[in-house]
């Protein structure tokens, strides 16, 4: 059977094309090379990818280009492994078709599969033939079809990478680039004005099948403009508009799902259900632990289901153990979730509630791993009035340490933010809102210590809205305090003070002494930063009294640290003594955050005294102690101190490297405040190197970043530096 025509719309993927041609265009062994004939290596290429990604188009394009290398001809067969409305060919059916194409008499084609395979191989053995096996379902379907002749080659297309095939070269395909997508649209539609930035490129997910449908609709209806069609796709379900004639993205995707759902294998049926749950929850990425809760299975079965969805190209494994669908598969999964037959059992929670319960349970473990034992943990875990009963809902193993807990949070934070945004307090039901409130109260210490400024603001406001919707005063007090922390970390100390004082008033009404102590401590810190030293001292001394009443050495250590910051304005030596008292308490109870903060603060006190050489070992020790405990505020302060110290000691190179790393980390967290402070120091380093124009550029950027903050001293210095004509 001759190859079908090469598609006129084929475009792009030059790297894959070159590699595929090199794999197939192998010269046959010489007649005198007996070893080559005794164990020939069949050039075998597997082109894989999701429905509509252009596997067949690529295979046919390459095959036509290699006709001269295979003078005995090309064989083509569509195995219908995932063709809408078609049953996949059995190996026996495929063998019969190939043998007929090679001229075998129908009456003489063996009925037994092994005999038919032997006949096919004997006919092809002396030839140089290229075989294209299009749309294979699985490896077992194509093994009997593979030739044995040393001059033959095979291209297989399949949604699966067919990893069970030995010796195959694999070419996984993804969506097209923006430029190639636009080229395909122009070629098929005849609309020359479509460029890579047109919304249709994004709305089709750069999937060749979807692009062909859109282009065919534009070609058929000249009055339909690309902008109008883009508006239709954006306004309603895209899959409805991605059908034309016999082309349908939905039908192509449904083939794989329907086969899984009808399978007798448990893993296949789990995979079909998993895709529906993916659509119902609609998160950016998924892992087996979360999906296990959604399916009501163990993690082993959930992981097998996810791997099966990868195998049929309905999910992609973006990193080890992390799975995500293409945008159009995501739309298809949403449709599955919306049309899933059978009502949920009365006591079965909605997928969002299942996810929130699991996230809250793991957040509880994160809290235990990163926050020191004592009131800081206990207050967060104390159930508020609206907390759903039975938390944590699942048995979740503890983390081995803070590094592991922070790593989990870094993986899942995007999902949590998406989930919380999708269920705002003003529209979600009370049960969902209560789970959101619980999750955010337990998770916030991780978000704060990670320094994720944008996420802190979103989650802090969501927690406050949820608490108010529920009428839960304790949850509201927690949320107000957490929002105060967001404002403090972003340099808005006046706003932070107002929020902290509102939280303090609520804790006083609730008579929660440990939280009163904490708010007083924070009040003292904020007042010190605003220059209201007398009020700061009064708040800190009252906090210290509460710490001693509660027998809370951690709280006492933190307050001594803040008293040291206060004393630094009048007596840096006395400040160092306060920090040393804080360090002694931290050593006694093994509180890493206290220990590294104390060394950092001692370093700043030495800088105030004009003693950078004495400051340096304390900043270095602070960084060493912190390790992987993830305290971004502490880390940023330590790194800033190191930059200042190294610069004052004349070590400009190390100071610049430290400053660059601080800037990189601040930018990764969207922390403009810390970035502004770092750029202030970077400008000073650049000026010392005689690079005045670059220094001015950094200072201007720093001034813009600090706009709207209460960092008056640094802003005043920046204004003066920019006014200096040197």
């Amino acid at each position: 059977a001759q190859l079908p025509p090469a598609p006129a719309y084929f475009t792009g993927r030059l790297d894959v094309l070159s590699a595929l041609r090199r794999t197939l265009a192998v010269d046959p062994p010489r007649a005198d090379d007996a070893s080559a004939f005794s164990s020939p290596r069949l050039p075998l290429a597997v082109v894989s990818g999701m429905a509509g990604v252009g596997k067949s188009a690529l295979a046919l394009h390459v095959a036509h280009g290699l006709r001269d290398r295979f003078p005995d001809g090309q064989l083509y067969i569509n195995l219908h492994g995932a063709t809408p409305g078609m049953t996949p060919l059995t190996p026996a059916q495929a063998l019969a078709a190939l043998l007929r194409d090679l001229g075998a008499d129908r009456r003489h084609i063996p009925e037994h599969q092994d005999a038919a395979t032997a006949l096919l191989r004997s006919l092809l053995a002396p030839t140089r033939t290229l075989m294209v096996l299009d749309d294979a379902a699985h490896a077992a379907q194509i093994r009997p079809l593979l030739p044995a002749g040393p001059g033959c080659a095979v291209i297989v297309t399949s949604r699966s990478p067919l990893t069970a095939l030995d010796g195959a070269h694999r070419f996984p395909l993804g969506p097209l680039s923006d430029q190639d997508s636009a080229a395909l649209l122009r070629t098929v539609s005849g609309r020359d004005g479509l460029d890579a930035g047109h919304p249709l490129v994004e709305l089709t997910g750069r999937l060749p099948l979807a692009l062909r449908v859109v282009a065919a609709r534009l070609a058929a209806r000249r009055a339909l403009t690309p902008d109008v069609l883009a508006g239709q796709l954006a306004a309603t379900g895209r899959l409805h508009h991605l059908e034309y004639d016999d082309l349908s993205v939905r039908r192509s995707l449904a083939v794989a799902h329907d086969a899984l759902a009808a399978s007798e294998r448990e893993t296949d049926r789990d995979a079909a259900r998993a895709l529906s749950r993916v659509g119902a929850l609609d998160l950016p990425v998924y892992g087996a632990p979360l999906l296990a809760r959604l399916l009501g299975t163990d993690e082993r079965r959930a992981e097998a289901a996810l791997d099966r969805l990868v195998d049929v190209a309905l999910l992609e494994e973006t990193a080890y153990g992390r799975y995500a669908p293409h945008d159009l598969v995501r739309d298809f999964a949403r449709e599955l979730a919306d049309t899933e037959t059978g009502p949920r059992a009365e006591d079965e929670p909605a997928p969002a509630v299942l996810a929130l319960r699991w996230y809250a349970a793991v957040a509880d473990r994160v809290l235990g791993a990163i926050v020191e034992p004592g009131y800081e943990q206990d207050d967060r875990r104390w159930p508020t009035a609206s907390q759903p009963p039975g938390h944590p809902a699942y048995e979740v193993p503890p983390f081995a340490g803070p590094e592991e807990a922070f790593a989990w949070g870094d993986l899942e934070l995007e999902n949590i933010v998406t989930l919380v945004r999708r269920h705002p307090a003003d529209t979600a039901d009370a049960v969902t809102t209560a789970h959101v409130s619980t999750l955010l109260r337990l998770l916030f210490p991780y978000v704060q210590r990670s320094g994720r400024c944008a996420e802190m603001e979103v989650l802090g406001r969501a927690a406050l809205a949820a608490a108010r919707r529920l009428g839960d005063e304790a949850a509201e007090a927690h949320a107000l305090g957490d929002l105060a922390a967001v404002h403090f970390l972003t340099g808005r100390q006046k706003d932070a003070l107002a929020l902290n004082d509102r939280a303090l008033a609520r804790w006083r009404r609730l008579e929660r002494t440990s939280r009163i102590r904490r708010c007083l401590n924070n009040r003292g810190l904020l007042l010190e930063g605003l220059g209201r030293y007398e009020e700061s001292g009064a708040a800190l001394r009252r906090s210290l009294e509460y710490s001693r009443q509660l027998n809370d050495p951690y709280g006492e250590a933190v307050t001594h640290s803040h008293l040291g910051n206060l004393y630094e304005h009048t007596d840096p030596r006395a400040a160092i003594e306060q920090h040393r008292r804080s360090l002694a308490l931290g050593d006694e109870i093994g509180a890493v955050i206290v220990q590294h903060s104390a060394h950092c603060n001692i370093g700043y006190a030495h800088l105030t005294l004009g003693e950078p050489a004495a400051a340096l070992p304390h900043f270095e020790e602070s960084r060493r102690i912190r390790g992987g405990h993830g305290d971004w505020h502490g880390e940023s302060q330590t790194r800033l101190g190191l930059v200042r110290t190294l610069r004052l000691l004349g070590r400009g190179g190390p100071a610049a490297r430290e400053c660059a790393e601080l800037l990189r980390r601040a930018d990764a967290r969207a922390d403009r405040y810390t970035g502004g402070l770092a750029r202030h120091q970077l400008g000073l380093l650049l000026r010392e190197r005689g690079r005045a124009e670059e220094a001015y550029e950094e200072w201007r950027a720093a001034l813009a970043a600090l706009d709207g903050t209460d960092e008056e001293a640094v802003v005043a210095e920046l204004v003066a530096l920019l006014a200096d004509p040197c």
Side-chain angles (χ1 to χ4, degrees), residues 623-679:
R623 182 166 62 177
R624 184 195 68 78
I625 292 172
R626 188 191 64 82
H629 281 74
D631 176 19
W632 168 242
H633 176 65
E635 178 187 349
S636 62
Q637 291 303 301
T638 297
R639 287 185 182 274
L640 273 171
L642 270 172
V643 172
R644 287 179 56 189
T645 301
L646 291 167
R647 181 175 61 80
L648 291 170
L649 291 172
R651 297 169 60 180
R657 288 192 292 274
E658 191 69 47
C659 195
E661 180 62 16
L662 176 59
L663 266 172
R664 185 187 70 79
R665 291 172 179 254
D667 290 345
R669 291 167 168 82
D671 186 349
R672 286 174 51 81
Y673 176 62
T674 299
L677 298 177
R679 285 185 165 84

Side-chain angles (χ1 to χ4, degrees), residues 2 79 142 150 238 277 346 360 408 426 448 462 467 484 542 556 611 679:
Q2 293 300 309
L79 299 171
I142 65 171
R238 280 184 288 184
R277 298 300 187 272
E346 192 171 316
W408 178 88
D426 58 343
Q448 179 180 341
R542 185 67 179 128
E556 186 176 347
E611 301 169 351
R679 285 185 165 84

Side-chain angles (χ1 to χ4, degrees), residues 90 139 300 333 414 422 432 471 515 527 647 650 701 707:
T90 66
R300 179 196 59 78
E414 182 185 12
R422 195 165 290 140
T432 303
R515 302 308 289 182
L527 288 167
R647 181 175 61 80
D707 184 42

Side-chain angles (χ1 to χ4, degrees), residues 303-357:
E303 186 172 11
L306 288 165
D307 287 342
R308 190 73 182 98
L309 288 171
V310 171
D311 194 48
V312 298
L314 288 172
L315 286 183
E316 177 186 0
E317 190 171 17
T318 56
Y320 180 72
R322 308 295 289 174
Y323 304 82
H326 181 274
D327 282 352
L328 297 180
V329 176
R330 191 181 293 279
D331 285 358
F332 177 71
R334 289 193 198 106
E335 288 188 357
L336 286 177
D338 290 341
T339 60
E340 194 174 40
T341 58
R344 260 197 336 263
E346 192 171 316
D347 59 346
E348 181 185 353
V353 170
L354 288 170
L356 288 165
R357 285 169 61 181

Side-chain angles (χ1 to χ4, degrees), residues 472-515:
D472 188 334
E473 190 166 20
E476 184 177 354
H478 276 294
L480 286 166
D482 291 341
L483 269 176
V486 176
H487 286 69
F488 167 70
L489 292 176
T490 52
R492 296 170 288 173
Q493 296 187 16
K494 292 174 185 173
D495 294 336
L497 179 62
L499 288 164
N500 182 78
D501 284 351
R502 288 162 63 188
L504 176 59
R506 283 157 179 77
W507 290 126
R508 280 176 168 154
R509 282 200 299 271
L510 293 168
E511 298 181 345
R512 289 286 293 278
T513 305
S514 57
R515 302 308 289 182

Side-chain angles (χ1 to χ4, degrees), residues 200-214:
L200 284 175
V201 170
E202 182 76 22
L203 288 165
T204 54
R206 304 170 188 82
L207 190 70
L209 175 58
L211 290 161
R212 287 170 58 201
V213 171
V214 165

Side-chain angles (χ1 to χ4, degrees), residues 346-563:
E346 192 171 316
D347 59 346
E348 181 185 353
V353 170
L354 288 170
L356 288 165
R357 285 169 61 181
W358 179 72
Y359 277 124
V362 186
D364 187 275
R365 294 300 197 184
V366 171
L367 181 71
I370 70 172
V371 174
E372 295 73 10
Y375 288 105
E376 295 300 307
Q377 273 192 32
D378 296 344
D379 285 338
R380 292 274 174 180
R381 284 175 165 158
W382 191 273
T384 66
S386 65
Q387 179 167 309
H391 170 81
Y394 301 101
E395 285 298 326
V396 176
F399 289 102
E403 293 91 344
E404 189 178 291
F406 277 108
W408 178 88
D410 293 345
L411 281 176
E412 296 291 350
L413 185 58
E414 182 185 12
N415 277 355
I416 292 170
V417 171
T418 300
L419 196 57
V420 169
R421 276 180 162 159
R422 195 165 290 140
H423 299 281
D426 58 343
T427 59
D429 61 89
V431 172
T432 303
T433 302
H435 283 292
V436 167
S437 177
T438 302
L439 165 62
L440 296 183
R441 186 180 77 251
L442 294 166
L443 186 72
F444 202 86
Y446 152 75
V447 187
Q448 179 180 341
R449 291 196 180 184
S450 296
R452 305 289 288 269
C453 295
E455 291 89 345
M456 274 194 288
E457 188 109 27
V458 170
L459 298 181
R461 294 190 182 282
L464 184 58
R468 287 175 173 169
R469 160 82 187 280
L470 297 165
D472 188 334
E473 190 166 20
E476 184 177 354
H478 276 294
L480 286 166
D482 291 341
L483 269 176
V486 176
H487 286 69
F488 167 70
L489 292 176
T490 52
R492 296 170 288 173
Q493 296 187 16
K494 292 174 185 173
D495 294 336
L497 179 62
L499 288 164
N500 182 78
D501 284 351
R502 288 162 63 188
L504 176 59
R506 283 157 179 77
W507 290 126
R508 280 176 168 154
R509 282 200 299 271
L510 293 168
E511 298 181 345
R512 289 286 293 278
T513 305
S514 57
R515 302 308 289 182
I516 294 169
R517 181 214 63 77
R518 194 177 194 280
C519 284
L520 284 170
N521 193 59
N522 290 339
R523 177 174 168 77
L525 174 68
L526 293 165
L527 288 167
E528 177 265 323
L530 292 169
R532 294 161 61 178
Y533 302 139
E534 186 175 344
E535 295 172 83
S536 171
L540 291 173
R541 284 187 286 273
R542 185 67 179 128
S543 177
L544 197 59
E545 291 173 10
Y546 277 122
S547 293
R548 289 167 179 163
Q549 289 175 20
L550 293 165
N551 190 26
D552 179 11
Y554 181 87
E556 186 176 347
V558 173
T559 303
H560 279 300
S561 176
H562 293 171
L563 281 168

Side-chain angles (χ1 to χ4, degrees), residues 24 42-46 129-133 146-147 152-156:
L24 298 168
L42 175 73
L44 172 60
V46 176
T129 301
L130 176 64
M131 181 183 288
V132 179
L133 304 177
L146 298 178
C152 295
V154 179
I155 308 176
V156 181

